[in-house]
Amino acid sequence: MTTADVPEATAVAAQQAFLAVREEEALDARPLLGGGGPLIDVHAHFYHPASPRAEWAAVNAARLRAGERIGITWHVASVLGTWGLDSPTYFASPADVTLGNDVMLALQDALPGRVRSYVHVNPNFPDHALAEIDRGVARGAVGVKLSASRRADDALLDAIAARAADGGLPILHHVWQWRRRDWPMQEASDGVELARLAARHPRATFILAHVGGGGEYRHTYHAVADVPNVVMDLSGSGVDRGMLDAAVAAVGPRRLLWACDVTIETGLAKLRALDHLGLDAGAVADVRWRNAVRLFPAGSFPGLEADA
Amino acid sequence: MIPVDVNLAIGAYPFRHVPHPDPDVLARVLAREGIARGWVAYLPAAFWRDPSPEREILYAAVGEYPTLDPVPTIRCDWPGWERRVAEAVDHGAPAVRAYPQLWGLGAGDASLARLAAGCAEAGLALVLPVRFEDLRQRSALDVAGDLSPAHVRALARLRGGPPLVVLGAGREFIEETAWALTEPERDGVFFDFSSVWGPPEDHLATLLRTLGGERFVFGSGWPLRLTQAPAANLALLPRALRDVALTGGDAIVARARNAARR
């Protein structure tokens, strides 16, 4: 397989897996685990054959299987280059960034009723980053993904944030909750650093990634509580009791987005726990999907309309 | 109905606020989540040099709730542990907990082996928590590290040891333990899957396929973790594993008591 074949191969495999899981769910006719109503996962990833993961197709299929079982209406996803094969996941080369985005856009085309794309960019290549955003948006991408290639408050991110704001594209930013040092293979940022960027770009919306994804989330809550253009996604393997309650207390349900990242079972657990936080049905719907519909460009999720 | 959650505690945690870690709340949560019984430790005792004063708290607190079973923490390297084991039996405990990593005890420590033998003789399981929190969020004061697979392997290789119930292990820990044991040694080791990833990585599915459901027991990690997480993991298993049978905590109790009678 050549690199040029990778996007289509990934898309075809995902399409076949999706059809198989739809057939299985139709046969079983079981109630959805996530309850009724729309559900948007704003932090998902897919893999492809030009990555170190031999089981890439199975992992993609497992995401789609779990999504159908729960009732995920839309997966908003990104592909981070070659996931370390030819350049590091969090410092992806321009060529790898482009390949990853091509894969993601092909997946979106193949699964038009389930998948939406972020454009992943590496701010260390500013011209390439802006060109990728324009290219991705022209092909239907609905947001920008920044991982951990450059600290969030670095000036190199300003042009990207401005371009995203101009296009009404939310920026999903990888965050280490309370980063007390540098970790290997990433230049991660924390809530304080993202808040500085958000303060410089009040027209842009920043999705602070995975409050359950490692680190001290309560530090994050303090950091962004008064920064209205930062919203938080609930994904991550962490399922600490008190995490959701404190998130609601810090920023309110209008600034929270349901998401899974790489552990869908913890996403389902948090979804179920939302029902025990004392939120009314409207607030739960905000977290499940309505906030996402409000934040992403109009028409990103056909069939879903959120009230103001 | 889930028969038993083996990974529960009451009481405060020293490094972060935990909402309502109280037995009445726990009893209500178990009923709400469809969990018939719970093995309950007293969380602060893990961090006390001498955990034995917990018995005045744990037995009294748990004793008021018929669905909660006490699991006392017994420090095997301090004198008098034999009395604590006897008290556990008197109070109907299904198991005792040990935290060798918090007490500075290495794998193969002789006092751990003595406690294991004492548990086996008394018909109790021995519960070994790997961790309380993810490494990435720990307090600067929380430097003890995790339980190691070598600790579990050393205990599993003892002849006539008690059932070992390992809490909070991830896939790598479980594989590093299970595949380093003979089948008879492995037969006495059970893992909860509160920290095993589900889809899309499907670590739980992989472990159930490779090791079998009998190695796994339901445990949530309440009050530190959401009770809903392990049930969500089971609900998302692939179709081929939907009906997989896990080991129940009650089966572990029966196994420990039957072995003691022999």
Side-chain angles (χ1 to χ4, degrees):
Chain A
M1 184 185 299
T2 68
T3 301
D5 298 326
V6 167
E8 186 182 352
T10 309
V12 168
Q15 202 170 39
Q16 290 171 347
F18 183 71
L19 291 173
V21 76
R22 290 289 294 172
E23 198 171 304
E24 186 178 303
E25 287 300 317
L27 279 176
D28 289 346
R30 296 177 294 175
L32 297 174
L33 294 171
L39 185 62
I40 299 176
D41 178 356
V42 302
H43 192 154
H45 295 292
F46 287 97
Y47 301 92
H48 56 76
S51 74
R53 303 198 63 157
E55 82 286 31
W56 62 271
V59 181
N60 291 351
R63 178 172 294 280
L64 296 168
R65 178 197 89 224
E68 294 309 296
R69 188 74 196 89
I70 292 173
I72 295 176
T73 322
W74 295 100
H75 304 265
V76 193
S78 60
V79 172
L80 305 186
T82 57
W83 296 106
L85 183 70
D86 288 333
S87 59
T89 297
Y90 291 127
F91 303 107
S93 69
D96 283 5
V97 165
T98 296
L99 174 60
N101 288 333
D102 283 344
V103 168
M104 199 55 245
L105 293 164
L107 282 163
Q108 174 173 283
D109 291 344
L111 297 168
R114 274 292 179 272
V115 173
R116 285 290 172 266
S117 297
Y118 290 102
V119 183
H120 171 228
V121 296
N122 179 343
N124 294 299
F125 302 91
D127 294 340
H128 180 264
L130 295 178
E132 277 298 284
I133 292 172
D134 293 344
R135 186 178 76 91
V137 169
R139 286 189 54 188
V142 298
V144 174
K145 167 69 179 176
L146 285 167
S147 54
S149 314
R150 190 90 180 191
R151 204 78 76 207
D153 55 359
D154 192 287
L156 267 185
L157 274 69
D158 285 332
I160 294 167
R163 182 67 58 91
D166 290 344
L169 307 168
I171 299 172
L172 173 60
H173 201 299
H174 176 86
V175 162
W176 191 288
Q177 319 304 326
W178 194 25
R179 183 184 62 79
R180 286 173 287 174
R181 63 179 177 88
D182 273 308
W183 294 79
M185 297 302 283
Q186 58 179 301
E187 189 170 310
S189 307
D190 69 11
V192 170
E193 289 152 344
L194 184 61
R196 287 193 197 110
L197 178 66
R200 296 205 300 268
H201 296 275
R203 291 187 305 119
T205 299
F206 298 87
I207 302 173
L208 186 150
H210 40 57
V211 296
E216 177 49 81
Y217 47 86
R218 294 186 72 95
H219 176 269
T220 297
Y221 299 167
H222 292 298
V224 304
D226 298 325
V227 188
N229 57 329
V230 174
V231 298
M232 303 192 296
D233 94 43
L234 300 178
S235 69
S237 61
V239 287
D240 285 5
R241 277 182 73 243
M243 177 190 291
L244 300 181
D245 320 57
V248 170
V251 304
R254 288 283 287 239
R255 288 173 55 199
L256 297 175
L257 299 164
W258 183 78
C260 293
D261 196 5
V262 295
T263 51
I264 297 178
E265 81 286 0
T266 61
L268 176 57
K270 290 170 195 164
L271 191 63
R272 289 173 166 174
L274 275 181
D275 290 336
H276 302 290
L277 295 183
L279 299 176
D280 62 34
V284 171
D286 285 343
V287 180
R288 285 177 61 107
W289 66 276
R290 292 199 311 205
N291 292 337
V293 171
R294 293 180 187 115
L295 292 174
F296 284 85
S300 294
F301 309 109
L304 297 183
E305 301 289 338
D307 300 331
Chain B
M1 179 67 86
I2 295 160
V4 181
D5 184 331
V6 301
N7 187 359
L8 300 167
I10 55 173
Y13 182 64
F15 303 116
R16 68 176 163 91
H17 169 68
V18 174
H20 316 299
D22 309 314
D24 59 325
V25 176
L26 173 56
R28 287 203 303 270
V29 166
L30 293 185
R32 185 190 75 199
E33 299 297 324
I35 300 168
R37 302 190 69 78
W39 293 9
V40 185
Y42 185 61
L43 197 49
F47 304 94
W48 294 347
R49 284 186 294 277
D50 176 7
S52 68
E54 73 159 0
R55 63 191 189 278
E56 293 163 17
I57 306 163
L58 176 68
Y59 293 136
V62 167
E64 295 179 29
Y65 301 92
T67 57
L68 306 184
D69 295 318
V71 177
T73 296
I74 297 183
R75 182 148 188 173
C76 52
D77 60 332
W78 275 40
W81 64 266
E82 300 92 336
R83 287 195 295 278
R84 305 284 91 79
V85 169
E87 288 167 3
V89 172
D90 291 345
H91 285 88
V96 305
R97 276 196 189 204
Y99 301 95
Q101 73 273 33
L102 302 184
W103 302 330
L105 306 180
D109 185 275
S111 70
L112 275 171
R114 285 194 291 273
L115 176 63
C119 287
E121 192 177 334
L124 298 169
L126 178 56
V127 176
L128 300 163
V130 172
R131 63 170 73 88
F132 294 110
E133 286 193 309
D134 187 292
L135 174 70
R136 297 166 295 180
Q137 73 187 60
R138 289 186 193 166
S139 164
L141 296 174
D142 188 3
V143 295
D146 291 354
L147 184 79
S148 73
H151 281 98
V152 182
R153 294 198 301 263
L155 288 167
R157 289 170 183 167
L158 297 171
R159 282 183 174 276
L164 304 176
V165 181
V166 181
L167 307 180
R171 175 184 173 178
E172 286 183 4
F173 186 113
I174 292 169
E175 291 180 331
E176 190 181 335
T177 306
W179 296 112
L181 297 172
T182 65
E183 287 186 21
E185 290 165 348
R186 187 193 308 164
D187 189 49
V189 184
F190 305 90
F191 303 93
D192 87 348
F193 49 94
S194 59
S195 294
V196 177
W197 285 12
E201 298 298 327
D202 273 340
H203 291 178
L204 180 60
T206 300
L207 291 170
L208 290 172
R209 269 197 298 268
T210 55
L211 292 171
E214 62 273 18
R215 293 276 62 78
F216 293 91
V217 59
F218 189 94
S220 66
W222 194 99
L224 295 172
R225 297 167 63 85
L226 293 175
T227 334
Q228 292 92 344
N233 215 349
L234 289 176
L236 289 171
L237 284 170
R239 184 189 185 93
L241 291 164
R242 196 181 296 163
D243 299 321
V244 68
L246 308 178
T247 294
D250 45 356
I252 295 174
V253 172
R255 179 191 180 107
R257 291 179 180 164
N258 288 339
R261 282 192 204 103
R262 284 200 297 273

